[in-house]
């Protein structure tokens, strides 16, 4: 997971090239970074990335699903339910 996380963090600092929708590109990148952080049990950091994704594209459903799962794993049940 550490290698994937390092690549995603570097990508998040760069500029998207060739994307027809840069806002969606970054929302998906932040969502993916959140997933990598979740897999590494870095739950608070994952939540930050899911929120970044949601701020960019509020209707990106997977960001809410992933955020809800991270909150569930953290035992934050009421917040997790609010993501559904």
């Amino acid at each position: 997971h550490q290698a994937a996380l390092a690549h995603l963090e570097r990508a998040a600092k760069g500029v998207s090239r060739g994307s027809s929708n840069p806002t969606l590109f970054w929302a998906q990148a932040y969502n993916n970074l959140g997933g990598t952080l979740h897999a590494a049990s870095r739950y608070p950091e994952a939540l930050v990335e899911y929120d970044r994704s949601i701020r960019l594209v509020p209707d990106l459903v997977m960001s809410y699903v992933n955020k809800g799962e991270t909150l569930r794993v953290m035992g934050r049940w009421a917040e997790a339910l609010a993501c559904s």
Side-chain angles (χ1 to χ4, degrees):
H1 297 295
Q2 292 297 35
L5 179 58
H7 289 294
L8 285 169
E9 286 175 334
R10 278 196 299 277
K13 293 178 183 170
V15 176
S16 62
R17 298 179 196 275
S19 174
S20 62
N21 186 339
T23 301
L24 180 59
F25 171 89
W26 285 115
Q28 291 171 330
Y30 292 133
N31 181 57
N32 291 341
L33 179 54
T36 301
L37 290 163
H38 176 101
S41 300
R42 294 170 58 180
Y43 305 124
E45 294 167 272
L47 292 176
V48 169
E49 299 307 327
Y50 296 137
D51 285 339
R52 289 172 83 180
S53 176
I54 291 165
R55 276 194 303 275
L56 284 175
V57 179
D59 60 348
L60 188 61
V61 174
M62 283 311 300
S63 296
Y64 291 98
V65 170
N66 293 336
K67 180 179 179 178
E69 174 60 14
T70 299
L71 290 165
R72 184 196 65 79
V73 169
M74 295 173 75
R76 294 166 58 179
W77 301 100
E79 293 171 89
L81 286 172
C83 289
S84 60

